[in-house]
Structure formats: C-alpha cells, structure tokens
C-alpha cells in the first residue's frame, strides 16, 4: 500500500511537471520559408544579469511568440501580448518580456512574449509594426485553441516596446477578407493597451532620439515623423489604455501626458500613473512607490472586466 501511494504521488508530480512544460509554447509568427538561414544565425543574446536573468537580444530577424498559458484549462481568458523595450536596438527579453508574461500566467492571464524584428536603421522600417499586427491577428485566430476570449486581447509594451504597442493600438485594420492566409483575414485591433514608460512621440522636443533614428533612419520626413508619433494617431476607435511613468524618467514623461491628452480628447478611457521617482527600465523590479504599479494595473484590469479578481 505504501509503495502504491508513493507511486501515485510520483505520477502526480510528473503530471504537474508535464503540465508546466506544456504551458509554455514558442510559436513562429510568420511562415518558416519567409526567412533565411542567415536571418536565423544572426541573432545575438547577451546575459546582463547577475542574480536574476536579464538577457538582451540583438539583431532579431526571425520573430516569435512565446505563449505562457496558465496550467488550468479555463476557457475565455484574457491575453496580453508583451513587447520588450530596448531602444529598437535590442530587446530586454527577460525583464520586459518573459518576467511579466510569467506574472500574468501565474494569475490566470495568458502572457505572450513577442520577440519582434528589430529595424535595421533604414528609412521607415515597417517590420516591427508588421510583427505586432501579425501577433494580434494570430492570437485572435487561435483564441479557441489557447482558451482565450477573442475580444479580450491586449498589447503591453515597455519603453520602445511601448512605442510598438501603442503603434499597434493606433495603426490597426479589420483584416483582408480576400487574403489567402486565414490569419491575415483577422482584425489587428487590440482590445486594450498597457504602456509602461513608453516612447510615444517623434517630436524633437520630447522624442527618444535613439529609438527615433533606429526606427525611422536619418532621412526624417515630416510625414514619417507624424505617422510614428502615436499621440497624433489616436481616434475614437483607439482601445482603452493604462500608462505608467515617472517624472524623473530620462525619456520625457511628456510622452505619456500627450498621449493621455489625445485619448481624453477622443473619449478613449485611460488611466495614467505618474510617479515622482523611479527612473527608467525597472520593469517589475521597481523600488519605492513605483513598485506598486502592478497592483494599480490589477485594479484597472478588474475595472475593465478583463479579470474577475485580484492578480
């Protein structure tokens, strides 16, 4: 009897491990034949952390989604597609990607890390926008497979990833009903947006110059600057937003203030938390009052009906 009990416990543990492994899934964003072997070999990963993983990824040319599904197979979950930041030069894939995805996963939300193609410093590289739009379409198209509510798919972004997320939230379309690819027939509009110390504007007065030059190149036409300044692209169809910034952030907090003003002018619900101190790039690791932003996000998700209870 004792041996039988031990065997049952062992089987249970093995099942739990298998469930945990199956809950994390990497998915190709585009058809495999779109990319060359040189694209695959060019990516570079650097470990910057000492006690906690903090990898940066450079020269991303093959985009992927990593899906962190909660272990229990509850249907109709909220999903969040997460865009790590890094000035459009690298992606802080752990601190601003996998770490928040696991945070969502542990509390019943499907966290999805988007490793997007980085622009090559040429004029108007559209790859990042193509990737975030494709990610939203793909998650919506596979919503039933991943137990996701297709009307509760949001985007989240940190720093330059916040620019990408807000670009996805202001440059969407309904899909191409004539497309051969069924994914491309699906809407790319996110249902909500979560922006943490985001780059928003390309205006000389407040733009993060490195992100701007990396994304748009040096031949900056007035039209290109306006199209990439997402505070100028807000409409009454822009999804609700949650924003976090600090007034001592070296990326000017006016980015968030202008975006919030545009949202208000167009009647789009939003919540803005502007802390006095905290700097930039803290992710979920902030110290002092800014460390409380995830709790504020929880309140907002409950308010919007995106989760049933506290994270």
């Amino acid at each position: 009897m004792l041996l039988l009990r031990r065997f049952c416990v062992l089987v249970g543990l093995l099942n739990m491990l298998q469930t945990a492994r199956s809950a994390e899934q990497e998915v190709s964003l585009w058809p495999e034949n779109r990319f060359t072997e040189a694209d695959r070999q060019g990516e570079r990963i650097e470990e910057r952390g000492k006690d906690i993983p903090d990898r940066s990824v450079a020269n991303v040319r093959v985009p992927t989604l990593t899906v962190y599904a909660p272990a229990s197979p509850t249907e109709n979950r909220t999903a969040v597609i997460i865009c790590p930041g890094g000035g459009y030069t690298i992606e802080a894939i752990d601190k601003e990607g996998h770490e928040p995805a696991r945070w969502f996963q542990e509390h019943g939300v499907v966290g999805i890390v988007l490793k997007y193609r980085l622009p090559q410093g040429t004029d108007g590289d559209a790859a990042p926008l193509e990737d975030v739009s494709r990610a939203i379409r793909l998650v919506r198209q596979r919503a039933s497979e991943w137990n996701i509510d297709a009307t509760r798919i949001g985007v989240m972004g940190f720093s330059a990833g916040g620019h990408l997320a807000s670009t996805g939230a202001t440059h969407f379309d309904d899909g191409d009903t004539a497309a051969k690819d069924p994914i491309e027939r699906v809407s790319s509009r996110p249902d909500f947006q979560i922006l943490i110390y985001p780059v928003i504007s390309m205006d000389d007065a407040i733009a993060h110059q490195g992100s701007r030059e990396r994304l748009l190149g040096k031949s900056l036409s007035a039209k290109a600057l306006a199209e990439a300044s997402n505070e100028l692209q807000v409409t009454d169809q822009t999804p609700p937003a949650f924003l976090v910034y600090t007034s001592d952030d070296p990326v000017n907090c006016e980015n968030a203030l202008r975006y919030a003003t545009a949202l208000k002018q167009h009647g789009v619900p939003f919540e803005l938390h502007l802390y006095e101190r905290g700097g930039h790039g803290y992710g979920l690791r902030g110290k002092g009052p800014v460390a409380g932003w995830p709790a504020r996000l929880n309140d907002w998700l409950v308010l919007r009906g995106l989760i049933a209870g506290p994270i």
Side-chain angles (χ1 to χ4, degrees):
M1 182 64 70
L2 180 60
L3 287 174
L4 179 60
R5 287 176 181 170
R6 288 178 177 173
F7 176 76
C8 290
V9 169
L10 179 60
V11 170
L13 289 172
L14 289 173
N15 286 338
M16 288 175 63
L17 286 170
Q18 183 60 40
T19 299
R21 288 183 185 130
S22 64
E24 179 183 337
Q25 178 185 4
E26 185 173 278
V27 178
S28 296
L29 194 60
W30 300 95
E32 291 291 335
N33 60 8
R34 179 169 178 152
F35 305 104
T36 67
E37 189 59 28
D39 290 329
R40 301 176 197 287
Q41 296 299 322
E43 187 174 296
R44 301 188 305 276
I45 300 176
E46 178 184 350
E47 176 57 76
R48 307 178 299 178
K50 294 181 179 179
D51 301 321
I52 305 175
D54 187 14
R55 292 171 297 167
S56 68
V57 185
N59 200 37
V60 178
R61 301 308 301 154
V62 182
T64 62
L65 294 179
T66 303
V67 181
Y68 288 87
S72 61
T74 304
E75 295 182 354
N76 298 322
R77 298 186 186 277
T78 292
V80 180
I81 299 165
I82 304 164
C83 306
Y88 282 124
T89 300
I90 58 96
E91 295 171 38
I93 201 72
D94 287 317
K95 184 170 62 173
E96 297 174 351
H98 296 294
E99 197 168 302
R102 292 189 187 99
W103 184 84
F104 282 119
Q105 177 193 39
E106 289 169 2
H107 299 93
V109 175
V110 181
I112 303 173
V113 181
L114 170 60
K115 185 173 71 173
Y116 53 92
R117 285 173 291 166
L118 288 164
Q120 301 299 292
T122 56
D123 294 353
D125 192 329
L129 175 57
E130 290 176 355
D131 288 349
V132 74
S133 299
R134 175 77 174 190
I136 297 163
R137 297 187 211 277
L138 189 152
V139 172
R140 185 162 282 129
Q141 199 258 350
R142 297 182 65 172
S144 60
E145 175 186 345
W146 292 335
N147 297 316
I148 291 169
D149 184 334
T151 66
R152 291 177 7 214
I153 299 169
V155 287
M156 179 183 201
F158 298 80
S159 193
H163 182 266
L164 180 55
S166 64
T167 302
T170 53
H171 294 71
F172 52 82
D173 62 62
D174 293 333
D176 180 0
T177 56
K180 293 182 179 179
D181 183 346
I183 295 172
E184 292 301 310
R185 300 173 199 156
V186 179
S187 169
S188 66
R189 180 186 182 274
D191 298 298
F192 59 95
Q193 51 183 319
I194 302 168
L195 308 176
I196 313 301
Y197 43 86
V199 175
I200 295 289
S201 183
M202 298 293 130
D203 185 335
D204 279 334
I206 65 170
H208 180 254
Q209 296 298 324
S211 297
R212 186 175 86 164
E213 185 170 313
R214 183 70 180 176
L215 180 65
L216 300 177
K218 295 182 179 180
S219 301
L220 304 175
S221 70
K223 180 180 179 181
L225 289 173
E227 287 187 356
S229 294
N230 292 328
E231 79 279 16
L232 303 179
Q233 304 304 321
V234 172
T235 71
D236 59 1
Q237 296 302 306
T238 301
F242 177 90
L243 299 100
V244 172
Y245 241 102
T246 64
S247 59
D248 68 346
D249 194 320
V251 178
N252 197 324
C253 67
E254 184 71 19
N255 279 271
L257 297 175
R258 289 193 189 183
Y259 197 61
T261 298
L263 293 168
K264 183 173 179 58
Q265 288 173 343
H266 288 274
V268 178
F270 73 93
E271 187 165 310
L272 168 61
H273 294 272
L274 182 59
Y275 296 87
E276 180 179 351
R277 300 177 185 176
H280 190 82
Y282 39 83
L284 297 178
R285 307 174 189 180
K287 297 180 181 180
V290 75
W293 74 259
R296 305 290 74 77
L297 172 60
N298 167 77
D299 296 339
W300 184 78
L301 292 171
V302 173
L303 178 68
R304 300 296 312 167
L306 296 167
I307 59 173
I311 286 181

